[in-house]
């Protein structure tokens, strides 16, 4: 598969994962990652393994988030053989302590490995934009 097509596949991965976040569909979200993933997050400092990533990061963030989406125009993707990476800005709405919606902007990076002809993330890193 040529590099341009591989990059499009990674963009489709990002679109699928953002859909899972918006739907709070943890089961679907898990399918995008390896069991041994290491994740750095905006809430959990480091999560070793998919179960930890879901429990310590995703469930604390996704349940309090609406409108999550990557900024695909800002994304940079590169593939090389069975490895790939992506860097992409994102935005969503969280809630203030009073329950009012607040825009949150951030950055993300992913490292992927190709398994059984599909890309899965072995590492993710989400952070909020500095103020």
């Amino acid at each position: 598969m040529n590099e341009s097509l591989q990059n499009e596949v990674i963009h489709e991965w990002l679109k699928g994962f953002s859909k899972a976040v918006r739907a709070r569909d943890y089961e679907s979200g898990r399918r995008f990652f390896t069991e041994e993933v290491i994740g750095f997050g905006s809430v959990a400092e480091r999560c070793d393994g998919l179960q930890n990533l879901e429990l310590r990061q995703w469930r604390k963030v996704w349940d309090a988030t609406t409108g999550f989406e990557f900024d695909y125009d800002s994304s940079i993707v590169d593939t090389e053989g069975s490895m790939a990476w992506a860097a992409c800005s994102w935005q969503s709405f969280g809630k203030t302590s009073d329950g009012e919606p607040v825009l949150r902007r951030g950055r993300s990076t992913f490292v992927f490995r190709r398994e059984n002809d599909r890309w899965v993330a072995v590492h993710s890193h989400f952070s909020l934009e500095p103020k």
Side-chain angles (χ1 to χ4, degrees), residues 41-60:
S42 57
V43 174
E45 193 171 308
R46 176 181 170 144
C47 299
D48 291 276
L50 187 54
Q51 183 175 357
N52 274 328
L53 183 60
E54 179 182 336
L55 293 175
R56 295 180 49 227
Q57 176 68 30
W58 295 358
R59 290 199 178 260
K60 292 181 179 183

Side-chain angles (χ1 to χ4, degrees), residues 103-119:
L103 180 63
R104 298 169 13 113
R105 295 181 190 272
R107 298 126 341 141
S108 61
T109 55
F110 297 92
V111 177
F112 302 97
R113 177 175 65 215
R114 200 150 104 199
E115 291 183 352
N116 302 321
D117 211 31
R118 70 184 189 98
W119 292 105

Side-chain angles (χ1 to χ4, degrees), residues 38-130:
I38 295 176
F40 301 150
S42 57
V43 174
E45 193 171 308
R46 176 181 170 144
C47 299
D48 291 276
L50 187 54
Q51 183 175 357
N52 274 328
L53 183 60
E54 179 182 336
L55 293 175
R56 295 180 49 227
Q57 176 68 30
W58 295 358
R59 290 199 178 260
K60 292 181 179 183
V61 175
W62 296 12
D63 287 346
T65 299
T66 59
F68 178 86
E69 191 63 80
F70 290 108
D71 176 5
Y72 302 102
D73 292 336
S74 78
S75 68
I76 300 170
V77 176
D78 191 27
T79 57
E80 181 73 32
S82 63
M83 298 294 292
W85 65 271
C88 193
S89 298
W90 56 267
Q91 71 176 27
S92 67
F93 289 93
K95 293 180 181 176
T96 66
S97 58
D98 297 332
E100 294 297 315
V102 60
L103 180 63
R104 298 169 13 113
R105 295 181 190 272
R107 298 126 341 141
S108 61
T109 55
F110 297 92
V111 177
F112 302 97
R113 177 175 65 215
R114 200 150 104 199
E115 291 183 352
N116 302 321
D117 211 31
R118 70 184 189 98
W119 292 105
V120 290
V122 297
H123 174 69
S124 65
H125 186 158
F126 279 81
S127 60
L128 294 169
E129 280 185 352

